[in-house]
Every structure is written in C-alpha cells, then in structure tokens.
Amino acid sequence: MAEGKENAGREPVLIVKDVTARFGDNVLFEKVGFQVRRGEIFAIAGESGCGKSTLLKIMIGLLKPASGTVWMEGVNVTGAGEEQMRRIRSGMGVLFQSGALFGSMTLGENVALPLREYTDLPAPWIDRVVRAKLAMVNLGGLEDRYPAELSGGMQKRAGLARAMALDPGILFFDEPFSGLDPVTSAELEVLIRRIRSAVGSTMIMVSHDLPSLFNLADRIILLDRGARGILAEGDPREMKRDAVDGRVARFLHRAVPDEKPEEVGK
Ligand SMILES: Nc1ncnc2c1ncn2[C@@H]1O[C@H](COP(=O)(O)OP(=O)(O)OP(=O)(O)O)[C@@H](O)[C@H]1O
Ligand SMILES: [Mg+2]
C-alpha cells in the first residue's frame, strides 16, 4: 500500500467540479471532477496532448475553464479576483513543465523570487531561507551558480527549491521527471518523498512517466483524449491489477514494477 495513504487526511484541499477545457472548437475534456486530500501525492496521468498541463493551469488559476469550478483550501480559484489570487498563490508552489528557472539569474536569485514577491522579509532573512531551501534539495553552497552551469537533474531540484520557498501547503509539479535519466529520476523521487514526509505538503503531479507514478502516487486519475475526460481513478497499483477497460490496461501495463521500491538513501 502506498505509504502516504494512512497519513493522508480525508479532508479535501482541492476540489475540481465539472470542469470543461476548450480552445476554440477543440474540447480537451468535459465535466471533469475529482478531489485531492490533504497530505496525499495525487497524479494526473495520460498520453501527450490529453490536457494534463491545461488542467494544472486551471487548478492553479492561470487559465479559466470554459465551465466548472476549482476550490483550493475552500477558496474558489476559478472565480477569484486579483487580490484573492495573490493570497492563493502565496500558499502554493509550482514546478512548471518548461522554463523552470530564469537563466539570467543565479540559483539563489531564482529561489529568492517568490520570497521577494510575496513576503516583506529583510534581505538577510531571504538569504537564509534561500540557503536552507537549496540545502534541502542537496544544492547547498551553489547559490551563485547559473542554471546553465547545472545538469538537468540539478535544475529540476533548484526548481523544486524555488517551489518550496514559501513553505507551501500544496505543491504542483508538471512533468518533474521529463528529460531525466532513470537514475536521476529515482534520486528526484526519493527527494520528493522525503519532502512529503518532512513537510507533509499535499503534492499534485502531472506525469506520463509510469515508473514515477507507481513509485510516488497515492492516487491517480487517467485523462484520455478520446473519452474527453477521466477514464479511471484510484491507487495506480490496484488500477493496474483490476483494469477492465482496454485503454486503462494499455496505459498502465507499458513497463512498470509491480511493487513500490523500498525507500533508499534516507
Ligand atoms: N493556449 C493554447 N491554445 C490553443 N491550444 C492549446 C493551448 N494550450 C494547449 N493547447 C492544446 O491543447 C491540447 C492539450 O495540451 P496540454 O499541454 O494540456 O497537453 P498535455 O497532456 O500536458 O501534453 P504533454 O504530455 O505533451 O505535456 C494540445 O492539443 C494543445 O495543442
Ligand atoms: Mg503537459
């Protein structure tokens, strides 16, 4: 059983109800609904182009859905004004699919950005938080490096440090493992699990990387372009075992371990 399941409260921190996404005539999905509970690692899976990133942008209030509602911590994100949105943003961290870091800024400056934007902390305090966050992702001492000087895995970790800057209750990751080799992905998985155990943040991850879904997610939803919505929802291991729908079985049976590996490097 997934380790976070017992710990995860039943209380929903994020509610998505009847959300429809459309670009012009292109309807990606219709009346999608699900709830994410406090403390769980929840993943949105599905093939490329099914609308995972679009759904994530709707959840964090970057994009308005054609219809439907999203509540985060009881606040209506889809109906929020600028001031409310600012408050919502200060309580969440996001690791975007592309362009996670600003190349013209050092790692330290990148991680400091949300602190400068959302807090009144004096500069020495910001420096202290920046150093702590970089140390948390095993990048201690690299404050003055530029993103281009780092490997892909280190860049993802720096992006994670920036997403964690404000100690958010909810973290969103869009394809955190894309472009990483299996070893680097596994290291990032361990780090994400460790952060969840230490901080207890709710994590919402978009991914089509099957091994990481099985290793990390307590629950997943499987989005499907043809179905214009959610094909299946639940514990990915149970879904894989019990899949009756051919599309669900095909997606989950591509190439994955049956059991979650032991936590390493703790
Ligand atoms: N701003 C936009 N305007 C018009 N069409 C868009 C826009 N953003 C996304 N789309 C289209 O919506 C569809 C879903 O895109 P989205 O990025 O949400 O998919 P995804 O599931 O995240 O894919 P991937 O796994 O490749 O990241 C794609 O066909 C894309 O071309
Ligand atoms: Mg995407």
Side-chain angles (χ1 to χ4, degrees), residues 5-53:
K5 236 183 169 178
E6 309 86 298
N7 309 332
R10 307 299 295 177
E11 175 197 0
V13 280
L14 187 104
I15 300 172
V16 172
K17 187 159 185 283
D18 293 337
V19 165
T20 296
R22 164 182 344 114
F23 293 109
D25 292 337
N26 182 10
V27 178
L28 298 186
F29 47 80
E30 286 175 303
K31 290 193 169 270
V32 156
F34 57 89
Q35 299 194 354
V36 181
R37 300 168 198 139
R38 193 174 303 284
E40 76 177 340
I41 301 185
F42 183 89
I44 297 156
E47 301 294 350
S48 193
C50 68
K52 303 183 296 296
S53 294

Side-chain angles (χ1 to χ4, degrees), residues 234-252:
D235 179 318
R237 286 152 293 269
E238 288 169 15
M239 279 163 71
K240 182 185 173 188
R241 198 186 57 216
D242 304 336
V244 269
D245 186 305
R247 293 166 297 184
V248 177
R250 266 196 301 284
F251 185 86
L252 294 176

Side-chain angles (χ1 to χ4, degrees), residues 60-80:
I60 64 176
L62 268 186
L63 203 65
K64 293 272 179 228
S67 59
T69 314
V70 174
W71 287 271
M72 198 189 297
E73 301 282 12
V75 180
N76 181 338
V77 174
T78 28

Side-chain angles (χ1 to χ4, degrees), residues 21-185:
R22 164 182 344 114
F23 293 109
D25 292 337
N26 182 10
V27 178
L28 298 186
F29 47 80
E30 286 175 303
K31 290 193 169 270
V32 156
F34 57 89
Q35 299 194 354
V36 181
R37 300 168 198 139
R38 193 174 303 284
E40 76 177 340
I41 301 185
F42 183 89
I44 297 156
E47 301 294 350
S48 193
C50 68
K52 303 183 296 296
S53 294
T54 302
L55 178 55
L56 184 126
K57 285 176 195 152
I58 290 171
M59 289 190 289
I60 64 176
L62 268 186
L63 203 65
K64 293 272 179 228
S67 59
T69 314
V70 174
W71 287 271
M72 198 189 297
E73 301 282 12
V75 180
N76 181 338
V77 174
T78 28
E82 259 316 299
E83 201 38 52
Q84 239 177 343
M85 224 32 250
R86 213 183 130 74
R87 225 170 317 137
I88 294 170
R89 289 214 176 93
S90 69
M92 69 187 195
V94 187
L95 181 58
F96 285 103
Q97 183 166 5
S98 56
L101 300 169
F102 290 101
S104 60
M105 296 180 180
T106 64
L107 293 197
E109 288 164 349
N110 267 285
V111 178
L113 271 181
L115 296 158
R116 297 222 167 90
E117 170 76 23
Y118 291 104
T119 73
D120 297 324
L121 288 177
W125 278 91
I126 288 184
D127 286 347
R128 203 175 297 179
V129 176
V130 165
R131 278 199 301 275
K133 296 300 170 191
L134 283 170
M136 190 168 71
V137 299
N138 305 327
L139 292 173
L142 301 184
E143 288 76 16
D144 297 329
R145 298 289 190 87
Y146 285 88
E149 300 175 278
L150 305 178
S151 69
M154 291 162 98
Q155 290 181 16
K156 294 275 186 191
R157 297 208 308 263
L160 185 57
R162 190 176 66 189
M164 297 286 302
L166 296 167
D167 293 324
I170 310 184
L171 276 165
F172 292 89
F173 305 134
D174 195 350
E175 301 286 359
F177 305 101
S178 67
L180 301 184
D181 62 64
V183 173
T184 314
S185 287

